[in-house]
Amino acid sequence: MRVLVLYCHPNPESYGAALHGAVVRSLTARGHVVDDCDLYAEGFDPVLSRQERLGYHDLARNTDPVAGHVRRLRAAEALVLVFPVWNFGFPALLKGYCDRVFLPGVSFGLVDGRTQGMLSNIRRIGVVTTYGATWMRATLMGNPPRKFCTRSLRAITGFRASVTYRAHYDMNRATPATRSAFLTQVEAEFAGW
């Protein structure tokens, strides 16, 4: 299976980087073809420009500024996101990726004024993330990242993809033991893909 891994963390020595490494190693060892997209390392520009927004619904040209990323997304059979939750949301760079790459004609189409998911090539979605907050606090805040990943991402696949969501909550009080245990769970999850 061809897997696009979207990784978003600015520190290559972070726990997030260790999780990213575990995901890529496990998928590769399983025999999958991994397209490893490190948004920081690749210098992805998250800013949706005025011109891009004006041409947002121009299906003939709206992908031009991000054509390479659109090709990678369309070539994938699975999508894995690895990122930290900051302020109960995505890091700005990952949010910008979604704004600029999940375009009309790419991730969704409009049919009679209603949206339809167009990424039917994606059969599986995986998410690996960390929260500073506890599960309870994230839940009380509505847990927007989880909802986006388990609902919106699934919708743009036409509800064809299964979703795996793995989160280490309460990182503010994490210990070496909890981090190690979660890393082991992540390795086992993706080794089974």
Side-chain angles (χ1 to χ4, degrees):
M1 183 166 48
R2 185 169 173 80
V3 184
L4 175 60
V5 175
L6 290 178
Y7 169 60
C8 188
H9 198 292
N11 182 356
E13 289 134 25
S14 66
Y15 181 62
L19 293 170
H20 167 242
V23 167
V24 171
R25 279 190 311 277
S26 295
L27 290 169
T28 303
R30 183 75 173 167
H32 299 297
V33 176
V34 176
D35 179 359
D36 188 11
C37 180
D38 180 335
L39 293 173
Y40 276 94
E42 293 187 18
F44 183 80
D45 181 359
V47 178
L48 179 69
S49 72
R50 179 179 185 275
Q51 277 309 116
E52 284 177 84
R53 184 59 190 127
L54 289 173
Y56 189 76
H57 292 286
D58 179 354
L59 301 186
R61 294 188 302 231
N62 68 350
T63 63
D64 291 350
V66 289
H69 286 281
V70 169
R71 273 192 300 278
R72 293 165 82 175
L73 185 60
R74 285 178 170 159
E77 297 168 288
L79 178 64
V80 179
L81 284 71
V82 183
F83 64 94
V85 170
W86 290 336
N87 298 305
F88 300 102
F90 286 155
L93 197 56
L94 183 56
K95 175 65 168 88
Y97 176 94
C98 294
D99 291 347
R100 292 190 68 213
V101 180
F102 292 167
L103 294 163
V106 176
S107 66
F108 68 95
L110 292 172
V111 178
D112 297 327
R114 303 185 91 168
T115 59
Q116 275 190 335
M118 294 185 66
L119 287 173
S120 58
N121 52 298
I122 305 287
R123 298 188 322 258
R124 199 154 191 191
I125 298 168
V127 179
V128 177
T129 190
T130 57
Y131 290 70
T134 63
W135 175 87
M136 179 60 76
R137 184 173 294 254
T139 300
L140 289 172
M141 296 301 291
N143 207 341
R146 183 180 181 95
K147 285 181 180 174
F148 179 83
C149 292
T150 60
R151 296 177 186 180
S152 296
L153 282 183
R154 194 159 173 267
I156 63 175
T157 70
F159 296 99
R160 290 177 176 89
S162 61
V163 180
T164 301
Y165 193 89
R166 296 285 176 252
H168 186 309
Y169 291 93
D170 206 10
M171 284 296 294
N172 293 337
R173 291 185 287 187
T175 65
T178 62
R179 287 190 296 271
S180 177
F182 185 67
L183 188 60
T184 299
Q185 290 172 8
V186 167
E187 289 171 337
E189 174 69 40
F190 292 96
W193 269 38

